[in-house]
Amino acid sequence: MNYPYIIIDDNQESVLKTKAIADGFSELLFVASANNYADGLNLVLEHTPKIIFLEIDPADKASNLSLALINELYRYLKVVPKIIITTIKKDLAFDAIQYEVADYMIKPVQRIDLVKSLLKLKKSTGEDEVFFTRTADLDNSSKLQEAQTPDSLVSVGVQNSESPLILCVKSYGDYRYIDTRDISYLQADNNSTDIYLNNGEMITAFKTLKHFEGVLPHPFVRIHNSYIVNRNCISRIHTGNAVCYIKNTTVKVPFSKSYKPNVDVIISDFANGNYLEI
């Protein structure tokens, strides 16, 4: 079963981080995001998602985000989506319980927290099937989630948490297995996508870049209409020239203004790691 979701959060960086975690689950389908009460309410009423990730203690008080949004939803909807609170403090947890929210998560959202939340949700709805994440399989079995086309398949190998994610590009009986850690970046080519490996090899898959954006989890980040980059393969980011440099190559992958927030998250992720700035 699929769960379309909307993120309502006044902090765009938090939106992108929550989406990056949610993108690792095959059932979670991103619909849209909003940064304030009014836009969030309109999005929910228009798209009627099954899950809402909601910030209730915004840094920008003008956004008017709060638990009051839940009351407003009950005015219009017979079935209110499952609400997952995402915030940086525990202070409002008791208040949130009074609104019967599905879960309360401390930001930044962790993958294991979302795993638990989805399990509780499936249990409450009586679903028995195993759900798949794009980075791990909860029962440690090895399976393939296949995207069907007449002449080509692009499958994501669902591995246990200690194994790398394997991408299978299949064409006319030819199965090509790619360790996603070996992918430097992907480039759109009309209705196909060129996959560039860190050994210089290029493989073409007959799927759109948007398809790969939907199935590849972190550290893959879309930075341009034509490019997805492996964050771990970036050696340099030049914001003035709007390019990312790929490790051990002379390749410079451009990023566009519309995807600049994604690049800002990459820069932030580097700074939050084992990092020394000089």
Side-chain angles (χ1 to χ4, degrees):
M1 183 175 182
N2 290 326
Y3 297 92
Y5 71 92
I6 284 175
I7 302 174
I8 305 177
D9 194 321
D10 65 308
N11 186 312
Q12 185 60 25
E13 182 175 334
S14 291
V15 169
L16 293 171
K17 287 184 176 181
T18 299
K19 181 179 182 295
I21 295 297
D23 281 349
F25 296 82
S26 59
E27 311 97 311
L28 294 180
L29 305 177
F30 177 70
V31 176
S33 65
N35 302 119
N36 60 70
Y37 180 104
D39 290 346
L41 176 63
N42 291 340
L43 279 178
V44 174
L45 297 182
E46 179 182 355
H47 297 285
T48 58
K50 292 184 178 177
I51 296 176
I52 300 171
F53 293 94
L54 175 64
E55 169 64 82
I56 57 173
D57 186 24
D60 180 9
K61 300 305 179 184
S63 67
N64 294 321
L65 294 179
S66 70
L67 289 165
L69 177 62
I70 301 175
N71 279 340
E72 192 69 5
L73 293 176
Y74 276 103
R75 289 184 57 198
Y76 298 100
L77 301 175
K78 288 184 177 180
V79 179
V80 172
K82 298 295 183 181
I83 309 294
I84 297 177
I85 302 301
T86 58
T87 189
I88 61 173
K89 301 177 183 177
K90 299 179 180 179
D91 304 3
L92 298 173
F94 180 78
D95 292 337
I97 291 172
Q98 308 309 306
Y99 284 80
E100 299 181 346
V101 300
D103 218 331
Y104 191 102
M105 297 183 184
I106 302 301
K107 295 192 296 188
V109 174
Q110 301 298 312
R111 194 186 73 84
I112 188 59
D113 293 332
L114 196 47
V115 167
K116 293 175 181 178
S117 189
L118 282 174
L119 284 171
K120 288 190 291 185
L121 177 58
K122 294 208 168 203
K123 183 177 179 180
S124 69
T125 56
E127 295 181 51
D128 296 324
E129 72 273 16
V130 176
F131 74 85
F132 298 105
T133 70
R134 297 190 181 101
T135 55
D137 187 358
L138 295 179
D139 66 358
N140 291 325
S141 63
S142 177
K143 302 188 178 184
L144 288 177
Q145 178 189 14
E146 297 190 343
Q148 301 288 337
T149 61
D151 57 351
S152 175
L153 298 175
V154 177
S155 305
V156 179
V158 184
Q159 307 290 324
N160 64 50
S161 58
E162 296 181 353
S163 300
L165 180 68
I166 302 299
L167 188 71
C168 175
V169 179
K170 177 186 175 185
S171 180
Y172 299 105
D174 179 18
Y175 295 79
R176 178 62 186 268
Y177 300 104
I178 305 170
D179 186 329
T180 53
R181 296 174 301 182
D182 295 334
I183 298 175
S184 297
Y185 66 98
L186 301 91
Q187 181 177 1
D189 184 8
N190 295 318
N191 290 323
S192 63
T193 299
D194 294 333
I195 303 170
Y196 288 86
L197 307 184
N198 53 28
N199 64 2
E201 186 178 1
M202 187 271 283
I203 300 166
T204 297
F206 296 100
K207 286 289 184 181
T208 65
L209 196 68
K210 183 174 180 61
H211 172 81
F212 284 100
E213 182 184 17
V215 299
L216 289 177
H218 180 80
F220 290 92
V221 183
R222 189 161 188 173
I223 61 172
H224 190 280
N225 281 340
S226 298
Y227 292 96
I228 293 173
V229 68
N230 182 347
R231 172 257 194 220
N232 294 336
C233 290
I234 294 176
S235 62
R236 177 183 177 189
I237 297 175
H238 196 302
T239 57
N241 293 336
V243 294
C244 296
Y245 291 72
I246 301 300
K247 286 181 182 178
N248 304 318
T249 73
T250 59
V251 175
K252 294 182 286 187
V253 177
F255 62 84
S256 57
K257 184 177 180 181
S258 58
Y259 286 96
K260 177 60 163 54
N262 289 6
V263 176
D264 291 338
V265 170
I266 294 174
I267 294 173
S268 177
D269 283 347
F270 276 119
N272 290 332
N274 192 9
Y275 175 84
L276 175 64
E277 186 172 303
I278 57 175

